[in-house]
Amino acid sequence: MDHARFAAWLEAYIAAWRSGERAAAEALWTEDARYAFAPYRPPLLGRDAIVEMWLEDPDPPGSWTADYRPLAVDGAVAVAHGQTSYRRADGAKQDIDYRNIFVCEFAPNGRCRSFVEWFMEVPRDAARE
């Protein structure tokens, strides 16, 4: 994995999340991938479980924005930082804002085999519009 490939993977991750398309989500993960929403929570195991989770309760179109960028890459391990913001249906005010770190390990084919999300909700009085 290198910086450019990781940046492209992050773009594909956001695009798959936005599209809700099974094939786009499947293309991100190895068959035996592990996906943890937090470092100490049990992970989802396997591409099928990850994809089903993404497809069973999608975020409504236009209800969120996301921006993630590579922070570091060392061999097969890559770290990203960024934010996801969820907005009210009317789009008027920020509802929830997260700052995240993703720690990812990749297979030689560029698919992610381990994904751990470290997130923090930004207090409403600290969030910027």
Side-chain angles (χ1 to χ4, degrees):
M1 183 55 62
D2 61 32
H3 185 93
R5 285 180 68 198
F6 187 40
W9 187 89
L10 290 166
E11 289 177 18
Y13 175 94
I14 293 169
W17 180 10
R18 183 169 284 120
S19 76
E21 294 177 7
R22 179 176 297 278
E26 288 175 342
L28 298 170
W29 313 101
T30 62
E31 286 186 31
D32 62 346
R34 301 169 58 91
Y35 187 119
F37 292 99
Y40 305 108
R41 290 185 190 168
L44 293 172
L45 300 176
R47 178 175 55 214
D48 291 343
I50 295 166
V51 171
E52 288 306 316
M53 176 272 302
W54 274 32
L55 299 179
E56 75 183 20
D57 188 23
D59 294 315
S63 68
W64 59 275
T65 60
D67 182 37
Y68 290 92
R69 300 180 191 263
L71 183 62
V73 178
D74 185 11
V77 177
V79 179
H81 67 113
Q83 66 185 31
T84 300
S85 297
Y86 291 91
R87 304 211 177 269
R88 293 187 176 146
D90 63 7
K93 291 183 112 183
Q94 196 168 45
D95 194 20
I96 303 173
D97 188 32
Y98 294 101
R99 298 295 187 268
N100 301 4
I101 298 287
F102 298 159
V103 179
C104 306
E105 182 182 352
F106 289 89
N109 66 2
R111 291 183 180 210
C112 188
R113 68 172 138 217
S114 176
F115 181 98
V116 179
E117 183 173 353
W118 298 69
F119 68 92
M120 181 171 290
E121 185 175 341
V122 177
R124 287 179 75 65
D125 60 348
R128 296 183 201 149
E129 294 200 33

